[in-house]
Amino acid sequence: MRHLGIVGECNVQYALDTDSEDYRVIEVNARLSRSSALASKATGYPLAFVAAKLGLGYGLFDLKNSVTKTTSAFFEPSLDYIVVKIPRWDLGKFSGVTKEIGSSMKSVGEIMSIGRTFEEAIQKGLRMIGQGMHGFVENKELKIDDIDKALNEPTDERIFVISKAFRVGYTVDQIHDLTKIDKWFLHKLYNILETAQKIEALPPLDVDLSKSENSNFDLLLRIAKKQGFSDFQIARAVWKEEMPDDGSDKIRAYRKSLNIVPVVKQIDTLAAEYPAQTNYLYLTYNGSENDVQYVGDKRSVIVLGSGAYRIGSSVEFDWCSVNALKTVREEGYRSVMINYNPETVSTDYDMCDRLYFDELTFERVMDIVELENPHGVILSVGGQIPNNLAVRLDDYDVTILGTQADKIDNAENRHKFSSMLDELEIDQPRWKELTSLSDIESFVDVVGYPVLVRPSYVLSGAAMNVCSNYDELKNFLQLAADISSKYPVVVSEFVENAKEIEFDAVADRGEIVTYAISEHVEFAGVHSGDATIQFPPQRLYVETARKVKKVARKIAKALEITGPFNIQFLAKENKIRVIECNLRASRSIPFVSKVLKINFIDLATKVMLGLEVEKPSKNAFDLDYVGIKASQFSFSRLQKADPVLGVDMASTGEVGCLGDTFDEALLTSMLSVGYTIPKKNVLFSTGPAKSKAELLESAKLLHSKGFNLFATGGSQKFLKNNGVPATLVYWPSENKSPNTLELLQDKKIDMVVNIPKNLSVSELKNGYMIRRTSIDFNIPLITNTRLARAFIEAFCNMDVDDIEIKSWDEFH
C-alpha cells in the first residue's frame, strides 16, 4: 500500500496455505470493497467515513473514533466477540441452473451474525439466511445421493452436507480431506453435533418439563444455548418426530424458569477498554450481565428490518425501514431497529437510538420485546419476514402498530382472503383450495389450463407457478405444499392477455390517505418484481382506474388497514379482478414515492403511531412526466439457467427513470439496466401465432428504419407473408447454415427477441439454447412480446442523443 501510494480505502486479498503458512497476494483494490461494509459493521469502525476524511487531507490522529467518541481513529479495532458472514443464494428459483459455487459470484445478499463463540455465531447465521434451516443441526433431512461428491464440489448447501456427513459417521479428517476446510472449523461444527446427539439420547424421564429441574437436561440446555441452539432446535432434539406444535414455546417457558436468558452486549471497537457511546447491540448466552440499562418507559418503537437481501426483498425494504425509523425519531420516540444485514443503511448504528444486530426470529424478537417493553412494534416496513411473525407476536400480547395480526392473516392466508373477496362480491380469478388432487382436476376441467398455484405467506412468488399441463400441476402442488404445510395452497384460473395494475397506498383505520396506481408494461404472468412498471399509467382507461379505487376502498375498509398496503389487479376489457393484497410496504412503494414526491412511509409511520395526517392534495397525481421501473437480471452469472420470466421472481435489482414521455423514460431505463440499442441485425423467434401477430408492426418499423431482420422458420414465413423481408436462420438442433447459434457466437446479431412457445418448463430445447447463448455472449435478449414492442418503438421513435439530461428536482 505504501508503494502504491494509497490514501483512504483499500482491499487486499490473500491466499494462505494453512499447512506451511506460506501466502500470496491475489489482488489489490484501491477502493471500498464488498467486505468493507461488513468490516465496518463487524468492528464498529466506519471505514468509508474515515477514508473520506483521509481523502480530504485529515490525519488519523485528527479523527475521533465514532464509537468511543474519546479515542482517535488511529487505534486499530480489537474485538471481544466473533462475527460470521454467510452469503444468501437463490439458485432454487432458476430452472436448469448449476448449483456449484466458484470464483464467479452468484450470491444475491449476505448476513452477519455476532456471538461470543464460533458455534453461537454460525448457528445464528444459518437461521438468518432464511433458507428454511434452523441452524447446523435439527433440520429437515437432506436427500444426498453421493456425500463424497457433495462435500468435494462446493454448492450453496455444502455446510448442511457436512452436518449430514457427521451424522452418518464421517470423521473430521475425512471431511477435511474432501473439503479442504480448516479442521478448526470442522471441530467447532462437530461440537454442535455432539451436543445435539447428547440431548437426543436423553431418556424421557430426564426431560420432564413439569418438574422445576432436570439436572442432566439443564446442564445440556445451558451448553446448547451457549452454542447458538434455538428453542426450536432443542425441542426437536428432545421430541424428534413427535415434537408438539408448541414445543419451542414449552422449551422457552422452561428455560426462563431456570433463568437461562440471553444478555445484551454492546459492540465497541476496543474490546471494552474504553466506554462505548453507541447503542450498537447483540444478544448472547455467553455473558452474565446486560451492557444497557432498561427503563421500560414504553417510549421505544421497535421496527423489524428485512433481513438478508434476496430476490424479492432488497434495498426497497431497507428504504422503508430507514424512513420509518426517521419518522419514529422525529415524533419523539426511541427508535429501535432489529436487523442483521451488513449491507443496509438500517443497520448503521447512527440511524437509530438502539440497533440490535440480531435475528428476526420469533424467539429473538420476544427476547428484545421483553427487555425493551416498547410502545409497540412496526411489522409492515420490512417485507415478508416481519409479516410472518404477526400472528405469533399477537398471541403473546405484543402491541403491533398498524394493521392488526388477524387482518394480516386474513390477507396472507389465501383461502381466507379469497373467501373474503367472495363475501364482498369483489371479482377475482376463479379459485379452489388444495384438498386433494382429484378435486383440483375437476376444477381444472371447468376453468382449463393454464392455472396458477399459490402458497400462503410467501414473498417474491416463491413456489408460485403457472402450470400448463397435468404433470406440471402435480409437481408444483407438491412443492407448494412443502413450502407451507401449515397454510393453504390455492389453485386459481390464470387469465391470459390481461393487464396487471398495482395499487400502492396508505390507509388510516380503513380510510385511504394516499394512493398510487401504476401499470405493468408486460401482461400478467410476469411477476411484479420482474415487470417493467409505468407510473402514472399511460394506457389505462379512466373507468378502469375508477373501478380500481372503488374496490381498493372496499378492501381497506374490510381489513381495517392502518399503514402501508399494496393490491394487485388484473384488467381485461375494462373488467377488473383482484389477484392479491399485501398488508405491508411493497416493492414499488419507494418508486412511486420518488416519482410522486410524496413519502408514503413517512405518512404510514405517522398513521401507525396514531397521529393525524393531512391527505395530500388531489392534483399531485397530475404529473407532467413519466416514471419507469425496469428490472436488472443476473442471468450471465447463473450458468445454464433459462433466462425466461414467469410468476416466480428472478430479477436481482431495478432502476427507476424519469422522462417527459413514455418513450424517453422507457429508453433511459432499458439503457440503465444494460440493454444496448441494436446497430443493424435483429433476430426474431416469436413463438405462438398470437405473439407473431403482435410483433408484426414492430418488425415493419425495424425494417423501415433500415434494420436487417433474421428469423427462425415459422417467424420468417409469417414476416415474409406480411411483406417484411427477413433472412431465414435455422434452429440450433438443425445442422444447417446459417444457424442461429453460429450467428450469435460470431456476434453477428445485435438483439434477440425470443418469445417462449408456452409457459411450461419443458419449453423447447431450441428456444432455451437461443436464450442461453444470447446471455452468454452478452447480446440483449427480450422474452416478452409487450416489452419488445415498447422497446423497439422507443428506440425507433427517438434517438438516444435526444434524451434530455435533467435532475430529479427539474421534474415538476
Side-chain angles (χ1 to χ4, degrees):
M1 287 172 71
R2 191 173 291 123
H3 174 76
L4 292 168
I6 291 166
V7 175
E9 251 287 328
C10 176
N11 163 270
V12 185
Q13 290 176 23
Y14 294 96
L16 169 70
D17 174 22
T18 49
D19 294 331
S20 65
E21 298 204 352
D22 184 15
Y23 67 90
R24 299 278 188 275
V25 171
I26 303 171
E27 65 177 13
V28 179
N29 297 306
R31 57 167 170 77
L32 284 155
S33 67
R34 190 167 298 99
S35 51
S36 52
L38 175 87
S40 297
K41 301 272 167 95
T43 59
Y45 189 100
L47 293 170
F49 171 79
V50 174
K53 290 276 193 180
L54 295 174
L56 290 168
Y58 288 85
L60 282 170
F61 286 110
D62 305 327
L63 304 174
K64 284 270 183 279
N65 176 319
S66 51
V67 173
T68 63
K69 311 271 194 207
T70 52
T71 58
S72 82
F74 186 70
F75 283 86
E76 189 181 328
S78 57
L79 314 182
D80 55 359
Y81 50 87
I82 285 176
V83 165
V84 169
K85 173 213 137 172
I86 306 176
R88 154 91 191 202
W89 292 277
D90 272 339
L91 301 177
K93 277 179 166 285
F94 302 93
S95 64
V97 73
T98 165
K99 293 258 186 175
E100 282 180 36
I101 50 179
S103 56
S104 173
M105 181 172 155
K106 287 182 179 177
S107 65
V108 285
E110 63 188 36
I111 62 90
M112 180 180 108
S113 63
I114 310 168
R116 286 285 174 107
T117 64
F118 175 74
E119 292 92 332
E120 181 176 46
I122 191 88
Q123 290 231 83
K124 270 186 172 185
L126 292 173
R127 287 191 285 277
M128 288 172 173
I129 50 175
Q131 298 278 35
M133 297 302 194
H134 303 287
F136 183 64
V137 289
E138 308 305 340
N139 297 312
K140 58 179 182 282
E141 184 76 11
L142 273 186
K143 292 183 176 67
I144 302 158
D145 299 331
D146 184 342
I147 291 180
D148 280 18
K149 184 171 183 280
L151 288 170
N152 196 14
E153 295 171 1
T155 67
D156 55 336
E157 289 186 334
R158 182 158 73 164
I159 190 158
F160 303 112
V161 179
I162 293 171
S163 177
K164 175 145 181 140
F166 278 141
R167 283 267 186 204
V168 297
Y170 281 63
T171 64
V172 165
D173 288 343
Q174 284 173 302
I175 295 176
H176 169 73
D177 290 342
L178 287 162
T179 61
K180 296 293 179 278
I181 291 171
D182 194 297
K183 287 182 189 175
W184 185 89
F185 295 111
L186 296 174
H187 280 296
K188 294 285 183 189
L189 291 171
Y190 190 65
N191 290 345
I192 297 170
L193 184 86
E194 273 193 318
T195 304
Q197 287 179 325
K198 283 175 186 168
I199 297 173
E200 287 162 12
L202 287 172
L205 283 173
D206 281 6
V207 194
D208 182 354
L209 301 189
S210 60
K211 293 195 302 198
S212 60
E213 59 176 75
N214 298 272
S215 54
N216 291 344
F217 175 60
D218 296 354
L219 180 67
L220 285 171
L221 180 59
R222 284 179 198 278
I223 293 169
K225 291 311 277 185
K226 285 182 173 182
Q227 290 183 344
F229 279 72
S230 67
D231 293 341
F232 180 94
Q233 281 174 293
I234 294 165
R236 187 171 268 184
V238 169
W239 287 292
K240 303 166 197 67
E241 299 307 312
E242 280 83 58
M243 181 179 153
D245 284 347
D246 62 346
S248 45
D249 291 342
K250 285 178 172 167
I251 296 289
R252 180 183 182 82
Y254 181 72
R255 72 167 167 78
K256 283 180 70 183
S257 73
L258 297 175
N259 201 29
I260 301 176
V261 288
V263 294
V264 175
K265 289 290 168 196
Q266 214 164 8
I267 284 193
D268 56 25
T269 54
L270 295 167
E273 283 181 46
Y274 294 87
Q277 302 294 318
T278 53
N279 277 320
Y280 182 9
L281 314 164
Y282 66 98
L283 276 71
T284 177
Y285 282 86
N286 294 284
S288 53
E289 60 181 340
N290 291 333
D291 287 355
V292 178
Q293 296 296 312
Y294 289 100
V295 285
D297 57 1
K298 289 204 172 284
R299 293 300 296 166
S300 295
V301 171
I302 299 177
V303 177
L304 300 190
S306 54
Y309 284 168
R310 66 196 67 193
I311 290 177
S313 175
S314 189
V315 194
E316 55 279 271
F317 293 118
D318 185 47
W319 183 88
C320 295
S321 302
V322 168
N323 276 284
L325 287 170
K326 274 182 168 172
T327 306
V328 164
R329 242 178 168 172
E330 283 163 12
E331 297 302 333
Y333 288 91
R334 191 183 299 112
S335 58
V336 180
M337 175 53 99
I338 310 176
N339 202 3
Y340 49 76
N341 184 345
E343 304 164 299
T344 61
V345 181
S346 62
T347 54
D348 287 357
Y349 49 73
D350 52 0
M351 196 60 244
C352 51
D353 299 309
R354 275 196 193 133
L355 165 65
Y356 290 92
F357 212 106
D358 223 303
E359 298 175 67
L360 284 162
T361 55
F362 169 74
E363 178 184 334
R364 188 45 33 100
V365 171
M366 275 311 299
D367 291 337
I368 294 168
V369 166
E370 285 166 2
L371 287 163
E372 283 282 350
N373 191 16
H375 170 65
V377 180
I378 291 178
L379 303 179
S380 56
V381 293
Q384 197 64 39
I385 296 173
N387 243 25
N388 288 0
L389 297 175
V391 175
R392 284 196 73 191
L393 290 173
D394 189 55
D395 289 345
Y396 272 70
D397 298 324
V398 173
T399 305
I400 293 169
L401 299 178
T403 312
Q404 292 306 291
D406 57 331
K407 304 299 181 193
I408 293 173
D409 188 52
N410 282 350
E412 289 283 355
N413 183 311
R414 297 284 186 197
H415 176 86
K416 287 182 185 174
F417 182 64
S418 293
S419 307
M420 182 192 86
L421 292 184
D422 286 347
E423 278 168 34
L424 293 172
E425 296 180 349
I426 292 172
D427 209 1
Q428 62 182 317
R430 286 173 289 176
W431 64 281
K432 185 152 185 66
E433 190 179 355
L434 168 60
T435 41
S436 71
L437 206 58
S438 56
D439 265 15
I440 294 299
E441 283 172 48
S442 52
F443 170 71
V444 175
D445 288 343
V446 177
V447 300
Y449 286 108
V451 291
L452 187 60
V453 177
R454 305 160 73 191
S456 302
Y457 282 98
V458 295
L459 179 70
S460 79
M464 195 185 283
N465 268 294
V466 176
C467 304
S468 323
N469 56 51
Y470 177 73
D471 290 340
E472 278 177 37
L473 181 64
K474 203 168 138 188
N475 185 8
F476 288 132
L477 285 175
Q478 184 51 52
L479 184 68
D482 286 349
I483 290 275
S484 180
S485 48
K486 263 171 56 188
Y487 296 106
V489 176
V490 161
V491 178
S492 62
E493 155 191 32
F494 180 72
V495 183
E496 294 184 279
N497 304 318
K499 277 187 178 185
E500 195 163 327
I501 297 163
E502 301 271 340
F503 185 91
D504 289 298
V506 174
D508 185 0
R509 289 159 296 189
E511 290 294 319
I512 290 176
V513 174
T514 187
Y515 67 90
I517 298 172
S518 44
E519 173 192 8
H520 292 199
V521 171
E522 297 89 345
F523 274 147
V526 171
H527 189 278
S528 60
D530 289 347
T532 314
I533 294 177
Q534 46 191 326
F535 173 73
Q538 301 299 297
R539 292 160 169 76
L540 208 60
Y541 298 127
V542 175
E543 190 186 344
T544 304
R546 196 166 56 240
K547 284 179 178 174
V548 162
K549 280 186 283 191
K550 196 174 166 187
V551 169
R553 283 200 187 98
K554 260 189 182 179
I555 291 174
K557 208 171 216 68
L559 290 170
E560 295 165 29
I561 301 173
T562 296
F565 71 102
N566 158 278
I567 306 177
Q568 289 169 13
F569 291 92
L570 287 177
K572 193 174 181 181
E573 291 146 11
N574 238 337
K575 180 182 179 186
I576 64 159
R577 302 176 209 196
V578 171
I579 308 174
E580 66 178 5
C581 173
N582 295 306
L583 300 191
R584 55 168 169 77
S586 70
R587 203 166 292 103
S588 41
I589 272 186
F591 169 66
V592 295
S593 293
K594 285 176 180 175
V595 177
L596 255 186
K597 303 190 180 183
I598 295 174
N599 189 325
F600 277 46
I601 297 299
D602 176 50
L603 284 170
T605 308
K606 285 176 178 164
V607 161
M608 290 188 282
L609 291 171
L611 304 167
E612 288 296 320
V613 294
E614 204 180 315
K615 287 189 179 183
S617 59
K618 277 277 194 289
N619 60 13
F621 293 89
D622 248 352
L623 299 184
D624 295 334
Y625 54 90
V626 183
I628 294 277
K629 180 170 90 74
S631 297
Q632 173 78 59
F633 297 93
S634 302
F635 288 118
S636 58
R637 296 262 177 185
L638 302 166
Q639 286 84 9
K640 299 183 185 167
D642 189 352
V644 67
L645 304 185
V647 290
D648 196 349
M649 186 174 161
S651 64
T652 49
E654 64 190 29
V655 302
C657 294
L658 301 175
D660 289 326
T661 63
F662 172 78
D663 282 350
E664 186 177 19
L666 182 81
L667 203 51
T668 313
S669 65
M670 295 293 275
L671 293 171
S672 303
V673 290
Y675 280 86
T676 49
I677 290 166
K679 290 185 176 63
K680 57 177 182 183
N681 297 337
V682 179
L683 172 66
F684 269 52
S685 171
T686 48
K690 194 167 181 7
S691 41
K692 285 185 173 61
E694 281 180 5
L695 284 164
L696 181 60
E697 288 308 312
S698 306
K700 285 180 176 169
L701 191 55
L702 285 169
H703 175 61
S704 69
K705 293 283 179 184
F707 286 92
N708 304 324
L709 294 185
F710 293 79
T712 51
S715 305
Q716 191 264 350
K717 199 171 169 184
F718 178 82
L719 291 172
K720 195 174 149 195
N721 291 345
N722 285 280
V724 183
T727 307
L728 174 67
V729 286
Y730 294 99
W731 288 109
S733 59
E734 297 175 288
N735 290 326
K736 289 183 186 173
S737 213
N739 192 288
T740 45
L741 288 198
E742 279 170 26
L743 290 172
L744 292 168
Q745 286 161 354
D746 294 343
K747 289 285 200 127
K748 288 184 178 161
I749 299 290
D750 304 319
M751 183 171 100
V752 176
V753 178
N754 173 276
I755 311 299
K757 273 266 190 311
N758 53 33
L759 296 153
S760 70
V761 179
S762 60
E763 200 274 318
L764 301 173
K765 192 178 167 192
N766 282 316
Y768 163 74
M769 286 172 80
I770 291 173
R771 291 191 291 277
R772 192 60 239 178
T773 310
S774 307
I775 293 295
D776 291 339
F777 285 84
N778 205 18
I779 297 161
L781 165 75
I782 300 184
T783 58
N784 182 280
T785 316
R786 304 237 322 158
L787 184 61
R789 271 172 58 181
F791 183 45
I792 290 166
E793 276 173 33
F795 70 70
C796 286
N797 293 339
M798 185 171 197
D799 199 85
V800 176
D801 299 332
D802 296 338
I803 295 176
E804 271 195 85
I805 296 171
K806 292 204 281 193
S807 72
W808 186 51
D809 298 344
E810 288 175 78
F811 290 97
H812 296 298

